[in-house]
Amino acid sequence: AWTQSQLPPGFYSFVPSKQELPAGQLSAQAQTDLNAALRAYRAKDFAASMPYLTRPSDEGSIQANWLVAHMYRKGLGVTANQVTAFEHYNRVAEDYVARQTEVQDNERYFVLDSLTRMANSLRTGYKKAGVSKNVSKALHFYQTAASAGYAGAQYGFGLMYLNGEGVTRDRSYGMRWLGTAAQKRYAPAAARLGDIYYDGGDKVRALVWYKIASDTAGKTLDRSVMKKHNAVVAGLSQQQLDTADKLYAKWSRRFPVRARQAQNQTSNN
């Protein structure tokens, strides 16, 4: 099993949850193979890692299925194949839904990431991966991962309520979920809140959220956020800018950026 520090990029943090996640027992040979796969993966010998994942993946290992998905999605040691990748993400997600039994804490990331990636794809459909649009299933997967504290799922769940996708539109409820994700320094959520306040005419609060988003945004998002940030700044008085700075400083003290959160914002793809 991986320690917390060895988890792949994309992990944020969890709010307390009573929810438990599924686990499966591996045969001795499958566990041996998984250990060998993990050693090779950590050494970045991805081509050597993949063959060892077959048996544990077939036996339902959460880690093994996630690693196969991740490696096929990114083309690590294999030719990238989104269909194969999402088949394995779906194995992990569906196993959770079917069994809902306990897993080790360091396997939570793999389950919640898989649920969220599947929800992202189901929400709009992802033809390249062979995933058809299914908003009700997307909503369920988002809710499952969001209730366990996963920031990416909280963001997606909030957007579905903001837009009324598969649910009755509820702007207030959607913004609450975006705010929860933003507290974990999930930059897309903060940026979306900035857009909402800007569209509503509250440019001071929009600027605050753009500042928060820029703290942890990856390069692509940061360019977009800074463009909006600069446009808002140009239209505000010095008094309004000072107010925004005070609100930003107060919020940042309450929800500071942690090193891992900053790292994850640039590598969560």
Side-chain angles (χ1 to χ4, degrees):
W2 290 5
T3 65
Q4 182 78 9
S5 63
Q6 293 170 322
L7 286 173
F11 180 81
Y12 291 88
S13 59
F14 301 111
V15 295
S17 172
K18 296 179 180 179
Q19 215 164 9
E20 299 295 345
L21 305 176
Q25 295 297 318
L26 297 181
S27 66
Q29 185 59 58
Q31 187 61 59
T32 297
D33 288 355
L34 179 58
N35 292 340
L38 293 176
R39 285 193 297 272
Y41 184 91
R42 291 168 188 154
K44 299 187 184 301
D45 189 351
F46 304 119
S49 178
M50 182 62 79
Y52 286 110
L53 292 170
T54 301
R55 188 188 298 266
S57 172
D58 288 345
E59 291 189 15
S61 165
I62 292 168
Q63 286 182 327
N65 275 294
W66 186 92
L67 282 169
V68 172
H70 178 70
M71 291 165 73
Y72 270 104
R73 183 172 61 85
K74 303 287 284 186
L76 302 176
V78 293
T79 301
N81 186 317
Q82 300 308 306
V83 172
T84 300
F86 279 81
E87 284 174 351
H88 285 269
Y89 285 132
N90 194 53
R91 282 189 191 182
V92 178
E94 292 287 3
D95 188 59
Y96 168 78
V97 172
R99 294 198 292 168
Q100 298 192 37
T101 53
E102 200 174 324
V103 294
Q104 299 177 43
D105 285 345
N106 62 0
E107 290 182 316
R108 289 170 63 90
Y109 165 79
F110 304 107
V111 174
L112 300 179
D113 181 72
S114 296
L115 283 163
T116 302
R117 290 190 187 279
M118 286 306 304
N120 289 341
S121 299
L122 289 162
R123 181 182 162 216
T124 59
Y126 185 15
K127 186 175 181 180
K128 189 176 180 180
V131 179
S132 299
K133 183 176 180 178
N134 186 329
V135 292
S136 62
K137 194 169 186 179
L139 189 72
H140 178 56
F141 280 5
Y142 274 141
Q143 184 175 24
T144 299
S147 66
Y150 195 67
Q154 291 171 338
Y155 172 63
F157 192 57
L159 287 180
M160 292 193 78
Y161 271 91
L162 274 173
N163 300 329
E165 299 174 51
V167 292
T168 300
R169 187 173 184 270
D170 189 330
R171 183 174 183 272
S172 177
Y173 189 65
M175 288 182 68
R176 283 175 56 193
W177 279 103
L178 294 188
T180 301
Q183 288 172 10
K184 296 182 175 66
R185 292 306 193 123
Y186 190 71
R192 185 70 182 92
L193 286 167
D195 292 343
I196 291 170
Y197 279 103
Y198 182 86
D199 292 341
D202 190 341
K203 294 185 179 180
V204 171
R205 290 192 181 277
L207 179 58
V208 173
W209 284 113
Y210 289 145
K211 284 175 174 287
I212 292 166
S214 68
D215 284 343
T216 53
K219 291 181 180 179
T220 300
L221 177 61
D222 193 42
R223 285 194 294 270
S224 172
V225 169
M226 289 310 298
K227 184 176 180 180
K228 295 175 182 178
H229 170 282
N230 294 339
V232 173
V233 167
L236 295 181
S237 68
Q238 187 58 53
Q239 183 178 2
Q240 289 173 314
L241 292 173
D242 291 343
T243 299
D245 285 342
K246 289 176 183 178
L247 290 171
Y248 164 75
K250 181 179 180 180
W251 195 95
S252 297
R253 285 193 297 271
R254 187 176 179 188
F255 304 105
V257 177
R258 295 179 175 84
R260 189 167 183 81
Q261 289 171 325
Q263 169 195 340
N264 290 336
Q265 294 290 352
T266 59
S267 56
N268 186 32
N269 52 50

